[in-house]
C-alpha cells in the first residue's frame, strides 16, 4: 500500500505516541531527581565521617557512601542527556506537524481546534499546542515547568552532591562532580535552544537579554563549583584561590568569624558554640561536636579498634568533646583539626599529620602517637599519661600543664616546645631533642639520658625558612603555624624566657635518684599511676604494653618490674586495691602475668 508522507492524521498520531513515551520518561526523570535530592540531603557529617552506606528506598539495598557519590551524579547526567534526546526528537516532529498543519488547514481558528487533539504532555503543549496555551501566563507556566525540571533542578542537584560530599575531602570525586556540572551545562545550552518554540511567552524581554541572563547564570554556577566549593588543602584552593581567600584568614576554631570574602561567608564560618554547627551557609570540613562514636560502650574493652580512619583526610575537622576511644587514625591528615576535650584513650594516631591541631584538654591516656607530626599543636592540659610519642615531631608545640606522666618521648623532637608546668614525672625522654624548649616542667623520676639541647630540627644543608615552609606549606594554617615556629628562628629575636639549655637538662639528670633507689621509686610511681581509676584501663594497659615491647633494665629492672605487675595483679581479686585495671580482659591479665616473669635485656 502506498504511504502518504503528508498524512496529517498519521503524523498527529505519531506525535501523540511520542509525547506519551516522552511523558513517561520525563516523569521518571523528575522522580529520580527527587530521590537524589532526598538522598543527598539526608547525608550528614556523621555519615561522611563513619562512611555509612546509603540505603535505597523501596529496594532496601545499601550502597557504599563513596560509590554512591561517584555513580549517582554520573547516572543523572546520562539520564538527562537521554531525556533531552527524546525531547529533541519530539520537537522536530512537532515542527513538521506545525508546517503540515499550516498547509492542510489554512484557517487559523480551525488549526487551533486541531491542535487541541494533541497529547496534554506539557512539553508538547508549549511546542505545538493551541496558541492560547503557548502564550500568555499559561504558556509561561508551561515553559517555567520545563525550565525548572530540565534546566535548574538537575544543575542544583549536581551542586548539592558536590557540596554535601565536600567535607569528606576526596579530591578526584569532587572534580568528578565539577566535570558533571560542566557537562550538564553544555547539554542544556545545546538542547534547550533547540527545544524552544517560535512563540515568546514574555514578548517584552529581548532574546539577547535572555541569552545574557543564561550566560550570567552559567558563569555563576561554574565559579561556585570550581572556585568556591573547595575544601582545605586541595590543589585549586592552594594554588588558584588567592583572590577569594584573605591572607589573614582565621582558622575555624577562632572566636570570631571572618566575613571578608565570599568563600568564608559560604564555607568557612566559625562553629557556633551553642548549636555546634558552622555559621557559614555550607561547610567544607566535618563538624561533629559532643558526639559519641562508640556503638556499645560495654563491649569497648573487648575490641582492639572501635573505628578505622586510617589515612583519612580530616583537615580542619571539628571533633571537640567527641568520644573516639580506641579509634584508629594511623596516617590520617588532621592538620588544623580541633579535638579539644575529645576522648581519645587508647586511640592510634601513629604517623598522623596533626600540625597546628587543637588537642587542649583532650584525653589521650595510653594513646599511640609514634612518629606523629605535631608541630605547633596545642596540647595544653591534655592528658597523655602512658601515651607513646616515640619519634613524634613536637616542634613549637604547646604542652602547658599537659599530663605526660610516664609518656614515652624517646627521640621525640621537642625543639621550641612550651613545657611550662608540663607533668613529665617518670616520662622517658631518652635521646629527645630539646633545643630552645622552654618552661618549668616537672621531671621527677624522668629518664633524661642522652638529651640533646643543641641539635636544630633542620638539616645542615637546609635553612630554617626552608624547613618551616616545608611544614607550613601555604593557605589555611600557614600564618598561625609560622607564628608557633617563630621561636626556632635563629635570626629572630624570639628566644623565649625560661629557656631550657643543655646545662639545665644535665643538672636535672644528675639530680635524679640513682641506682636501685630510682628504679624502686620509679616502679612504685608507675604502679600507682597505672592503678589510678580516672583513666581505667587505658593508662595501665598502655604502661604494661610498652614495658613488654620496650623493657629496659636502666629504666626498670626485674625487681621493679615484678613490683609493678604484682600491684596491678592484686586488682584482679580485689578491684579496690587497683581501680586502674578495671575492665581488663583475660588477654590483658595473661600478658600482665607474663610481664612479671620477663627478663629484661639492655637495649
Amino acid at each position: 500500500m502506498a504511504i502518504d508522507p503528508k498524512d496529517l492524521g498519521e503524523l498527529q498520531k505519531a506525535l501523540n505516541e511520542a509525547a506519551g513515551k516522552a511523558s513517561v520518561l520525563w516523569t521518571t526523570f523528575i522522580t529520580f531527581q527527587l530521590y537524589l535530592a532526598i538522598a543527598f540531603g539526608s547525608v550528614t557529617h556523621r555519615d561522611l565521617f563513619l562512611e555509612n552506606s546509603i540505603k535505597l528506598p523501596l529496594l532496601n539495598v545499601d550502597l557504599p557512601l563513596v560509590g554512591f557519590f561517584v555513580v549517582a551524579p554520573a547516572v543523572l547526567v546520562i539520564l538527562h542527556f537521554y531525556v533531552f534526546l527524546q525531547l529533541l526528537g519530539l520537537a522536530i516532529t512537532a515542527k513538521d506537524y506545525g508546517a503540515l498543519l499550516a498547509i492542510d488547514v489554512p484557517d487559523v481558528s480551525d488549526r487551533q481546534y486541531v491542535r487541541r487533539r494533541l497529547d496534554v504532555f506539557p512539553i508538547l503543549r508549549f511546542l505545538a499546542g493551541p496558541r492560547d496555551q503557548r502564550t500568555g501566563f499559561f504558556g509561561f507556566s508551561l515553559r517555567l515547568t520545563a525550565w525548572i525540571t530540565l534546566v535548574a533542578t538537575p544543575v542544583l542537584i549536581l551542586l548539592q552532591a558536590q557540596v554535601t560530599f565536600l567535607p569528606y575531602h576526596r579530591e578526584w570525586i569532587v572534580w568528578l562532580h565539577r566535570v558533571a556540572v560542566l557537562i550538564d551545562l553544555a547539554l542544556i545550552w545545546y538542547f534547550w535552544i533547540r527545544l524552544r518554540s517560535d512563540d515568546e511567552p514574555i514578548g517584552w524581554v529581548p532574546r539577547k537579554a535572555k541569552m545574557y541572563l543564561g550566560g550570567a547564570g552559567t558563569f555563576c554556577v561554574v565559579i561556585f563549583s570550581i572556585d568556591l566549593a573547595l575544601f582545605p588543602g586541595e590543589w585549586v584552593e592552594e594554588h588558584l584561590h588567592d583572590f577569594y581567600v584573605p591572607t589573614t584568614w582565621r582558622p575555624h576554631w577562632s572566636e570570631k568569624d571572618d566575613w571578608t570574602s565570599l568563600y568564608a561567608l559560604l564555607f568557612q564560618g566559625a562553629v557556633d558554640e551553642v548549636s555546634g554547627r558552622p555559621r557559614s551557609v555550607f561547610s567544607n570540613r566535618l563538624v561533629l561536636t559532643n558526639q559519641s562514636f562508640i556503638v556499645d560502650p560495654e563491649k569497648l574493652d573487648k575490641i582492639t579498634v572501635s573505628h578505622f580512619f586510617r589515612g583519612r583526610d580530616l583537615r580542619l575537622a571539628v571533633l571537640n568533646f567527641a568520644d573516639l576511644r580506641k579509634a584508629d587514625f594511623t596516617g590520617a591528615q588532621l592538620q588544623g583539626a580541633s579535638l579539644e576535650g575529645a576522648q581519645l584513650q587508647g586511640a592510634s594516631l601513629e604517623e598522623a599529620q596533626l600540625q597546628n591541631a587543637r588537642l587542649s584538654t583532650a584525653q589521650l591516656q595510653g594513646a599511640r602517637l609514634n612518629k606523629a607530626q605535631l608541630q605547633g599543636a596545642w596540647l595544653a592540659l591534655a592528658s597523655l599519661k602512658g601515651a607513646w610519642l616515640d619519634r613524634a615531631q613536637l616542634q613549637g608545640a604547646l604542652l602547658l600543664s599537659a599530663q605526660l606522666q610516664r609518656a614515652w618521648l624517646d627521640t621525640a623532637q621537642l625543639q621550641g616546645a612550651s613545657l611550662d608546668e608540663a607533668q613529665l614525672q617518670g616520662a622517658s625522654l631518652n635521646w629527645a631533642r630539646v633545643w630552645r624548649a622552654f618552661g618549668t616542667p616537672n621531671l621527677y623520676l624522668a629518664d633524661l639520658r642522652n638529651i640533646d639541647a643543641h641539635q636544630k630540627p633542620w638539616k645542615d644543608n637546609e635553612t630554617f625558612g626552608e624547613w618551616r615552609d616545608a611544614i607550613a606549606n601555604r593557605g589555611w594554617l600557614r600564618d598561625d603555624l609560622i607564628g608557633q615556629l617563630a621561636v626556632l628562628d635563629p635570626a629572630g629575636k624570639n628566644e623565649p624566657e625560661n629557656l631550657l639549655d643543655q646545662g639545665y637538662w644535665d643538672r636535672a639528670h644528675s639530680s635524679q635518684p640513682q641506682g636501685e633507689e630510682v628504679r624502686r621509686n620509679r616502679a612504685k610511681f608507675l604502679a600507682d599511676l597505672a592503678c589510678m581509676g580516672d583513666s581505667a584501663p587505658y593508662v595501665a594497659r598502655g604502661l604494661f604494653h610498652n614495658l613488654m615491647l620496650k623493657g629496659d633494665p636502666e629504666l626498670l629492672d626485674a625487681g621493679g618490674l615484678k613490683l609493678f605487675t604484682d600491684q596491678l595483679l592484686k586488682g584482679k581479686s580485689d578491684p579496690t586495691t587497683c581501680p586502674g585495671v578495671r575492665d581488663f580482659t583475660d588477654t590483658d591479665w595473661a600478658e600482665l602475668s607474663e610481664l612479671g616473669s620477663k627478663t629484661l635485656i639492655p637495649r
Side-chain angles (χ1 to χ4, degrees):
M1 184 182 355
I3 297 176
D4 183 2
K6 296 185 178 180
D7 188 333
L8 182 63
E10 289 298 322
L11 185 58
Q12 181 174 288
K13 181 181 177 182
L15 185 59
N16 283 334
E17 289 178 355
K21 294 178 181 178
S23 177
V24 173
L25 182 60
W26 181 62
T27 304
T28 303
F29 183 60
I30 293 174
T31 304
F32 183 64
Q33 290 182 88
L34 179 61
Y35 161 71
L36 288 185
I38 295 172
F40 291 140
S42 64
V43 175
T44 64
H45 281 202
R46 187 182 180 92
D47 293 325
L48 294 174
F49 185 54
L50 298 176
E51 296 181 310
N52 291 333
S53 300
I54 305 294
K55 186 177 288 296
L56 295 179
L58 301 179
L59 298 177
N60 199 30
V61 176
D62 289 333
L63 289 179
L65 177 82
V66 175
F68 178 76
F69 276 90
V70 171
V71 174
V75 173
L76 177 61
V77 172
I78 293 170
L79 185 57
H80 197 190
F81 174 65
Y82 184 66
V83 170
F84 268 140
L85 278 179
Q86 295 296 318
L87 293 179
L88 181 59
L90 183 67
I92 293 171
T93 305
K95 186 175 181 180
D96 292 341
Y97 173 79
L100 185 59
L101 185 63
I103 296 172
D104 287 1
V105 185
D107 186 73
V108 175
S109 60
D110 290 343
R111 285 203 297 268
Q112 301 309 310
Y113 283 110
V114 174
R115 288 180 183 273
R116 293 185 189 278
R117 300 175 184 176
L118 296 177
D119 192 278
V120 293
F121 179 40
I123 308 297
L124 179 61
R125 283 283 162 166
F126 83 70
L127 288 173
R131 183 172 180 78
D132 61 336
Q133 294 181 10
R134 287 182 287 151
T135 59
F137 177 76
F138 196 89
F140 172 74
S141 300
L142 290 175
R143 285 170 170 78
L144 181 62
T145 301
W147 186 86
I148 291 173
T149 57
L150 294 172
V151 177
T153 306
V155 174
L156 290 176
I157 290 174
L158 289 173
L159 291 177
Q160 181 192 20
Q162 181 181 343
V163 170
T164 302
F165 190 77
L166 203 60
Y168 189 86
H169 295 182
R170 186 68 64 84
E171 189 164 1
W172 72 269
I173 296 179
V174 174
W175 269 107
L176 182 67
H177 295 159
R178 291 172 182 147
V179 170
V181 169
L182 294 176
I183 292 174
D184 208 56
L185 289 172
L187 292 176
I188 290 169
W189 273 100
Y190 179 82
F191 285 103
W192 187 251
I193 294 174
R194 290 161 176 79
L195 289 177
R196 291 187 295 108
S197 66
D198 295 332
D199 297 297
E200 295 291 343
I202 310 177
W204 50 270
V205 179
R207 186 180 296 271
K208 285 187 177 181
K210 296 176 185 177
M211 296 294 289
Y212 290 149
L213 287 174
T218 301
F219 177 76
C220 290
V221 168
V222 172
I223 289 298
F224 180 87
S225 179
I226 295 180
D227 208 25
L228 285 175
L230 310 172
F231 64 83
E234 71 164 304
W235 189 88
V236 176
E237 200 254 6
E238 288 194 344
H239 295 85
L240 302 177
H241 198 53
D242 293 334
F243 179 75
Y244 288 99
V245 180
T247 57
T248 58
W249 178 79
R250 299 184 184 94
H252 66 276
W253 34 258
S254 174
E255 294 180 358
K256 296 182 179 180
D257 292 294
D258 183 357
W259 303 127
T260 58
S261 72
L262 183 60
Y263 181 48
L265 176 65
L266 291 174
F267 289 99
Q268 295 204 337
V271 176
D272 187 276
E273 295 181 1
V274 177
S275 66
R277 297 181 178 181
R279 293 173 183 155
S280 50
V281 181
F282 308 107
S283 176
N284 61 0
R285 79 276 191 201
L286 294 172
V287 179
L288 295 160
T289 59
N290 294 289
Q291 294 198 31
S292 174
F293 299 97
I294 306 302
V295 178
D296 190 348
E298 294 182 359
K299 296 180 179 179
L300 182 61
D301 289 307
K302 299 178 182 179
I303 59 176
T304 305
V305 178
S306 59
H307 289 288
F308 284 95
F309 304 102
R310 282 177 167 253
R312 286 281 299 277
D313 188 336
L314 299 167
R315 284 175 281 192
L316 288 178
V318 182
L319 297 164
N320 296 334
F321 306 103
D323 190 345
L324 290 160
R325 288 172 289 174
K326 287 191 172 184
D328 188 349
F329 289 95
T330 302
Q333 296 184 60
L334 286 153
Q335 298 96 322
S338 184
L339 291 146
E340 296 185 359
Q343 296 185 54
L344 290 158
Q345 298 96 324
S348 175
L349 291 150
E350 297 183 58
E351 301 186 43
Q353 304 293 313
L354 287 151
Q355 293 92 336
N356 208 36
R358 263 41 184 178
L359 290 153
S360 300
T361 71
Q363 303 299 305
L364 287 151
Q365 298 93 332
R368 298 183 298 280
L369 293 103
N370 312 61
K371 300 182 183 179
Q373 303 293 313
L374 287 150
Q375 294 94 338
W378 291 46
L379 290 150
L381 298 171
S383 181
L384 292 133
K385 298 175 182 176
W388 303 7
L389 292 118
D390 307 46
R391 293 168 285 177
Q393 303 292 315
L394 287 150
Q395 296 94 337
L398 179 65
L399 292 159
L400 173 66
S401 299
Q403 299 178 41
L404 288 152
Q405 294 94 333
R406 197 45 209 144
W408 273 263
L409 288 150
D410 293 348
T411 67
Q413 304 289 313
L414 286 155
Q415 295 97 330
S418 172
L419 301 174
D420 202 22
E421 298 185 21
Q423 303 300 305
L424 285 155
Q425 301 97 315
S428 178
L429 289 98
N430 196 16
W431 293 105
R433 307 292 185 260
V434 292
W435 179 67
R436 281 203 174 183
F438 61 96
T440 54
N442 187 334
L443 298 169
Y444 176 66
L445 296 176
D447 181 7
L448 304 175
R449 290 173 291 162
N450 306 308
I451 279 192
D452 187 345
H454 300 291
Q455 184 172 326
K456 300 176 177 62
W458 53 91
K459 300 176 182 178
D460 294 338
N461 60 348
E462 190 179 30
T463 65
F464 164 74
E466 292 171 341
W467 170 80
R468 177 200 62 197
D469 291 343
I471 296 172
N473 291 321
R474 64 192 306 279
W476 34 269
L477 61 77
R478 176 178 173 79
D479 293 340
D480 200 68
L481 186 51
I482 284 177
Q484 292 289 106
L485 297 176
V487 67
L488 293 169
D489 187 355
K493 300 178 180 179
N494 299 302
E495 187 170 299
E497 298 180 2
N498 298 322
L499 189 67
L500 307 177
D501 58 13
Q502 188 67 56
Y504 169 86
W505 294 103
D506 291 341
R507 290 191 298 272
H509 177 54
S510 61
S511 64
Q512 299 283 352
Q514 301 297 318
E516 184 65 26
E517 181 185 2
V518 67
R519 287 189 284 272
R520 183 176 62 253
N521 290 348
R522 187 175 285 145
K524 188 175 185 311
F525 171 78
L526 294 181
D528 291 341
L529 181 64
C531 286
M532 293 177 65
D534 60 339
S535 301
Y538 301 102
V539 173
R541 186 178 289 147
L543 287 174
F544 84 73
H545 278 176
N546 211 313
L547 287 170
M548 288 183 68
L549 294 173
K550 298 186 177 182
D552 186 351
E554 290 293 325
L555 181 68
L556 209 63
D557 60 11
L561 200 59
K562 189 173 188 308
L563 187 156
F564 171 79
T565 55
D566 285 348
Q567 186 163 333
L568 268 64
L569 286 168
K570 289 178 182 177
K572 186 175 183 179
S573 57
D574 184 5
T576 60
T577 61
C578 187
V581 297
R582 184 178 67 249
D583 299 323
F584 260 28
T585 63
D586 292 340
T587 303
D588 290 332
W589 291 119
E591 291 178 347
L592 185 61
S593 299
E594 180 185 348
L595 178 64
S597 58
K598 185 175 181 179
T599 301
L600 299 182
I601 301 173
R603 290 181 290 177

